[in-house]
């Protein structure tokens, strides 16, 4: 065998190709009396610090299988074999043991002498060169980090990459707001603040044809993503891109670099960013479309850990009918706060609202409610369009699978049935989802059709009792949040924050719920408002910090409590 190998490598961040190395090595190989046909080329773009290098591993595997296959391995410099001194030394030593020399063009020497023994002088030189190559790389990285930090501190984009979506390069590479992209960023935050998930938002952007950064900057090119070549025009928004934008503090003027923060042009106000952050961190990851409308969805909070409460409802005897803390969804994450009966808490606040002129005055104008309803209808119509399209695509995929099975002479029945079952399950889920969207959309359209802008606030609330879609809308206009703290098996302390034009008022409603009453026969829906406490509630990041003192005071007062019994006409049942 008269074969030789040529190993060429450039880093993924290098702008040059490895063709220069090939051109430099071939004359050396020809000098050693080898022909073009004797050369096997191994070339790749990968960092010299990575152990997993496909082409190098392929070369080394071939040598391990047959050490005499190659007479010599040619490289332009020892750093092509690797940047890590220890790992590179291991490769050189192993090849020396197998009597396979490495010829390094930069020093014009081989790792083995003419007798096939280790070349001691070259070995010493290589050790110095390997350490130097490592030092050179580390120095380069440190300079790069320092340069990027300096660029960030003075407001430049820095580096060769693109600035975050919403920004562009101005004069002297200064990072400035891209007005067109900034509007999309604002829409993303606004949609998320209205409880649209990242998947829904990405679908909306793709549906209305909003271009991604790749679509704009790399038009006409082909990119390799996860080892798959893809036309730039086909790259779409993903839920991960949306999530990355929602997490990036640069949009509120805080540009993070390592552990430091530098000023940046602002696109989003802190209040909207914090609202989205709170939604993101307290998200239960449960489908927002359900068979029932829960009046306090997204506004009922846990007073023990600050997370959202969510509704658990099973329409069977003795089934769950409670709002519970979302901390229960994580194994070992239960904060210990108890649940409250859905009908009890919803009816209590309805009874308080409808009997309180002082609270009803905070209800925004009917015209505002109508606008909000129209916005929700538009959002549902958009999602219905997307999910219907997904449903059609899955049905087409099932038809193609059947056609393929019938036309193939070597069809595997078991594989076909597995794939068919998977597709049928996906279609069923999509069918159920579409049905729920249609139901919710119909309810909202009926509400909009009946909407009378001339009605007074009291009448609106009264008429909405049997229309949970409209009632939920009204609740969210008046109430910013409901904080739950379960004291014991008999009592729950509820703090209800009222809002005016989106601004939360300082003095919340304080209510004690009788948890024991809804478990008795017949059920008793009762509560008592608390005008004052010796220990007024104190919150820190949504958590009631003086719960024990308030709990002791409530238990002490309990036997003297003057309960308000909710009349049947004001009791709300979740099935309505």
């Amino acid at each position: 065998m008269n074969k030789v190998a040529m190993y060429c490598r450039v880093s993924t961040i290098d702008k040059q190709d490895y063709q220069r190395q090939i051109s430099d090595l071939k004359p050396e190989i020809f000098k050693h009396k080898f022909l073009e046909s004797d050369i096997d080329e191994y070339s790749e773009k990968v960092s010299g610090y990575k152990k997993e290098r496909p082409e190098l591993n392929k070369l080394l595997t071939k040598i391990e299988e047959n050490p005499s296959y190659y007479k010599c391995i040619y490289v332009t410099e020892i750093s092509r074999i690797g940047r890590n001194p220890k790992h590179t030394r291991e490769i050189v030593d192993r090849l020396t043991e197998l009597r396979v020399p490495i010829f390094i063009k930069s020093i014009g020497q081989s790792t083995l002498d003419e007798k096939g023994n280790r070349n001691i002088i070259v070995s010493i030189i290589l050790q110095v060169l390997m350490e130097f190559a490592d030092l050179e790389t580390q120095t380069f990285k440190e300079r790069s980090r320092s340069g990027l930090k300096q660029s960030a501190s003075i407001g430049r984009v820095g580096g060769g990459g693109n600035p975050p979506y919403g920004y562009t390069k101005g004069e002297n590479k200064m990072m400035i707001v891209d007005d067109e992209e900034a509007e999309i960023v604002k829409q993303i935050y606004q949609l998320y603040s209205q409880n649209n998930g990242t998947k829904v938002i990405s679908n909306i952007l793709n549906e209305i044809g909003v271009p991604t950064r790749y679509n704009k900057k790399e038009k006409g090119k082909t990119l390799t993503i996860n080892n798959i070549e893809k036309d730039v025009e086909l790259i779409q928004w993903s839920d991960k891109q949306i999530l990355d934008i929602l997490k990036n503090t640069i949009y509120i003027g805080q540009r993070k670099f390592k552990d430091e923060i530098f000023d940046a042009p602002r696109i989003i106000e802190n209040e909207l960013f914090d609202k989205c952050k709170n939604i993101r961190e307290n998200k239960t990851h449960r489908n927002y479309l359900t068979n029932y409308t829960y009046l306090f969805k997204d506004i009922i909070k846990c007073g023990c850990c600050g997370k959202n409460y969510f509704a658990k409802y099973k329409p069977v005897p003795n089934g769950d009918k409670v709002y519970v803390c979302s901390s229960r969804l994580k194994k070992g994450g239960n904060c210990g706060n108890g649940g409250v009966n859905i009908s009890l808490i919803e009816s209590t606040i309805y009874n308080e609202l409808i009997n309180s002129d002082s609270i009803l005055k905070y209800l925004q104008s009917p015209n505002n409610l109508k606008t909000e309803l129209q916005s929700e209808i538009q959002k549902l119509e958009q999602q219905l369009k997307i999910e219907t399209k997904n449903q059609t695509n899955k049905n087409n995929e099932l038809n193609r699978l059947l056609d393929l099975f019938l036309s193939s002479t070597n069809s595997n029945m078991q594989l076909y049935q597995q794939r068919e079952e998977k597709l049928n399950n996906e279609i069923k889920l999509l069918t159920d989802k579409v049905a729920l969207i249609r139901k919710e959309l119909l309810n909202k359209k009926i509400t909009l059709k009946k909407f009378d802008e001339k009605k007074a606030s009291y009448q609106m609330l009264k008429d909405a009792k049997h229309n949970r879609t409209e009632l939920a809308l009204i609740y969210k206009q008046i109430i910013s949040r409901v904080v739950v703290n379960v004291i014991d098996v008999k009592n729950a302390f509820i703090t209800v924050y009222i809002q005016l034009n989106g601004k939360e008022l300082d003095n919340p409603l304080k209510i004690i719920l009788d948890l024991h009453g809804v478990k008795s026969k017949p059920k008793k829906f009762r509560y008592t408002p608390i005008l004052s406490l010796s220990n007024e509630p104190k919150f820190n990041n949504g958590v009631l910090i003086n719960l024990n003192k308030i709990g002791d005071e409530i238990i002490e007062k309990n036997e003297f409590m003057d309960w308000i019994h909710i009349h049947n006409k004001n009791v709300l049942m979740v099935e309505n």
Side-chain angles (χ1 to χ4, degrees):
M1 183 70 68
N2 204 38
K3 301 282 283 184
V4 294
M6 179 169 52
Y7 179 69
C8 306
R9 182 192 61 78
V10 292
S11 170
T12 50
I13 61 172
D14 289 342
K15 291 183 179 179
Q16 75 270 20
D17 203 348
Y18 37 69
Q19 289 302 320
R20 179 188 62 78
Q21 295 176 41
I22 295 172
S23 300
D24 288 347
L25 288 175
K26 280 189 176 181
E28 292 292 337
I29 296 172
F30 296 152
K31 278 183 191 178
H32 296 161
K33 309 301 182 184
F34 293 102
L35 304 175
E36 180 86 38
S37 58
D38 298 329
I39 304 170
D40 283 348
E41 178 191 322
Y42 296 85
S43 304
E44 58 191 340
K45 288 186 176 183
V46 64
S47 168
Y49 283 98
K50 287 190 175 180
K51 282 191 175 184
E52 290 303 316
R53 285 178 270 159
E55 287 297 293
L56 179 62
N57 292 342
K58 184 171 150 186
L59 169 60
L60 296 176
T61 299
K62 185 176 281 274
I63 291 170
E64 288 286 351
E65 292 171 351
N66 185 3
S68 62
Y69 190 86
Y70 291 120
K71 297 292 184 184
C72 185
I73 299 170
Y74 287 81
V75 295
T76 54
E77 52 192 25
I78 194 61
S79 63
R80 298 306 93 199
I81 295 291
R83 289 278 182 181
N84 183 302
K86 182 176 180 293
H87 184 225
T88 306
R89 171 54 71 188
E90 288 172 356
I91 294 173
V92 173
D93 287 347
R94 180 56 181 156
L95 290 171
T96 299
E97 289 174 11
L98 295 171
R99 294 284 192 265
V100 180
I102 306 172
F103 181 87
I104 302 102
K105 182 185 181 302
S106 61
I107 60 174
Q109 296 286 329
S110 174
T111 54
L112 301 183
D113 60 21
E114 293 179 355
K115 296 181 180 180
N117 297 320
R118 182 190 295 273
N119 190 327
I120 302 300
I121 301 299
V122 170
S123 183
I124 294 170
I125 293 171
L126 287 184
Q127 189 61 44
V128 174
L129 290 176
M130 284 186 280
E131 295 293 344
F132 180 76
D134 181 48
L135 178 62
E136 182 184 43
T137 300
Q138 298 305 327
T139 302
F140 174 76
K141 286 181 178 179
E142 187 58 40
R143 285 175 180 167
S144 295
R145 281 193 290 266
S146 179
L148 290 171
K149 179 180 175 181
Q150 175 65 14
S151 294
S153 68
I154 62 175
R156 283 183 179 167
V157 171
N162 289 318
Y165 189 87
Y167 298 92
T168 188
K169 291 180 185 177
E171 291 185 18
N172 299 320
K173 296 185 178 179
M174 296 298 287
M175 188 166 66
I176 60 173
V177 173
D178 181 313
D179 292 334
E180 183 181 339
E181 290 185 356
E183 283 304 312
I184 302 301
V185 172
K186 291 175 184 176
Q187 286 182 32
I188 288 170
Y189 274 85
Q190 199 59 48
L191 285 166
Y192 196 78
S193 73
Q194 295 166 351
N195 292 302
N196 293 283
T198 54
K199 185 71 175 176
V200 172
I201 296 171
S202 63
N203 283 339
I204 289 173
L205 296 182
N206 291 327
E207 190 69 26
I208 63 178
V210 175
T212 64
R213 174 67 64 75
Y214 280 128
N215 299 151
K216 293 170 61 178
K217 302 292 184 183
E218 307 290 338
K219 196 171 183 179
K221 294 183 180 180
T222 300
L223 296 180
T224 302
I225 301 174
N226 296 328
N227 296 321
I228 299 173
E229 287 194 349
K230 199 168 188 178
D231 291 338
V232 168
E233 285 81 0
L234 300 178
I235 295 175
Q236 293 189 314
W237 287 92
S238 68
D239 50 345
K240 183 184 181 304
Q241 286 175 288
I242 302 300
L243 186 59
D244 288 344
I245 287 174
L246 291 167
K247 286 182 174 181
N248 200 337
T249 59
I250 196 170
Y251 298 111
I252 54 171
Q254 298 176 10
R255 183 181 182 182
K256 290 183 179 178
F257 184 83
K258 303 301 180 183
D259 296 326
E260 295 188 58
I261 294 177
F262 301 102
D263 291 338
R266 176 192 294 271
I267 292 177
I268 300 297
E269 292 302 316
N270 286 61
E271 186 178 2
L272 180 57
F273 184 89
D274 290 342
K275 182 178 181 181
C276 291
K277 181 182 178 182
N278 183 57
I279 293 171
R280 193 178 72 245
E281 291 179 349
N282 292 310
K283 204 168 182 66
T284 62
H285 301 290
R286 296 169 72 88
N287 193 336
Y288 86 95
L289 284 166
T290 61
N291 285 307
Y292 304 98
T293 300
Y294 302 110
L295 304 182
F296 294 136
K297 186 180 183 302
D298 300 322
I299 60 173
I300 185 167
K301 313 287 181 181
C302 176
C304 286
C305 69
K307 293 184 179 295
N308 280 0
Y309 261 46
F310 68 94
K312 285 183 70 179
Y313 178 73
K314 295 179 181 177
V316 295
N318 301 319
D320 289 330
K321 298 175 177 64
V322 292
Y323 282 110
V324 294
C325 181
S326 59
S327 65
R328 296 189 186 188
L329 295 175
K330 294 184 179 180
K331 189 175 181 180
N334 189 350
C335 71
N337 203 3
V340 292
N341 181 275
I342 295 172
S343 293
L344 174 61
I345 190 171
E346 290 183 351
S347 302
T348 293
I349 295 179
Y350 180 80
N351 199 65
E352 276 295 287
L353 292 180
I354 206 161
N355 289 302
S356 173
D357 292 336
S358 60
I359 296 175
L360 284 177
K361 71 180 181 182
Y362 296 124
L363 182 59
Q364 294 183 35
S365 72
N367 190 52
N368 287 352
L369 294 176
K370 183 178 181 181
T371 302
E372 178 73 16
L373 193 56
Q374 289 170 329
S375 173
E376 291 192 12
I377 288 173
Q378 188 177 17
K379 181 176 72 176
L380 282 168
E381 286 177 334
Q382 185 68 42
Q383 189 172 6
L384 179 62
K385 186 177 179 181
I386 292 165
E387 298 301 345
T388 303
K389 184 178 179 181
N390 290 339
Q391 188 182 27
T392 301
N393 289 340
K394 286 295 177 185
N395 277 310
N396 290 340
E397 191 176 342
L398 183 62
N399 291 333
R400 287 195 298 271
L401 177 69
L402 179 60
D403 291 341
L404 184 63
F405 177 76
L406 294 174
S407 62
S408 175
T409 55
N410 298 315
S411 297
N412 185 315
M413 175 61 79
Q414 186 178 2
L415 286 176
Y416 168 76
Q417 288 175 336
Q418 288 174 352
R419 181 62 183 153
E420 182 189 35
E421 183 181 5
K422 184 174 183 293
L423 280 172
N424 279 325
N425 288 337
E426 290 173 353
I427 290 169
K428 184 180 184 307
L429 287 173
L430 283 168
T431 302
D432 292 344
K433 193 171 184 180
V434 166
L436 286 171
I437 295 171
R438 291 187 191 279
K439 178 184 174 183
E440 186 72 5
L441 187 57
L442 179 62
N443 286 339
K444 282 183 165 52
K445 284 186 174 180
I446 291 172
T447 300
L448 182 63
K449 188 174 182 180
K450 292 180 177 179
F451 214 94
D452 187 346
E453 297 177 24
K454 297 178 182 179
K455 285 184 179 179
S457 297
Y458 171 83
Q459 193 62 39
M460 284 177 60
L461 201 58
K462 183 180 177 183
D463 290 348
K465 179 181 183 286
H466 298 292
N467 185 334
R468 295 181 67 84
T469 298
E470 184 175 353
L471 192 54
L473 194 65
I474 294 172
Y475 268 26
K476 288 176 183 178
Q477 291 290 337
I478 303 175
I479 300 165
S480 60
R481 57 192 168 117
V482 178
V483 184
V484 176
N485 286 94
V486 174
I487 306 298
D488 56 21
V489 293
K490 293 183 179 180
N491 306 287
F493 179 61
I494 310 298
T495 315
V496 183
Y497 286 86
I498 305 299
Q499 63 181 357
L500 176 61
N501 294 324
K503 185 177 180 181
E504 197 170 82
L505 303 183
D506 293 332
N507 297 315
L509 297 177
K510 298 180 287 290
I511 299 171
I512 306 299
L513 297 183
D514 175 21
L515 302 180
H516 190 67
V518 290
K519 295 178 181 178
S520 62
K521 292 184 180 180
K523 289 184 179 180
K524 298 174 185 174
F525 292 88
R526 26 182 233 178
Y527 69 96
T528 184
I530 301 292
L531 298 178
S532 64
L533 287 165
S534 301
N535 298 282
E536 286 298 312
K538 295 177 183 177
F539 288 91
N540 182 16
N541 293 324
V543 175
L544 185 62
I545 58 177
N546 58 339
L547 173 62
N548 289 337
K549 290 182 179 179
I550 291 175
D552 291 342
E553 188 175 345
I554 288 171
I555 292 171
E556 188 178 332
K557 291 181 177 181
N558 197 253
E559 60 180 295
F560 306 106
M561 206 79 79
D562 186 16
W563 296 107
I564 294 176
H565 291 257
I566 304 174
H567 194 279
N568 285 341
K569 67 179 182 180
N570 288 339
V571 171
L572 306 177
M573 302 306 291
V574 70
E575 304 96 307
N576 289 346

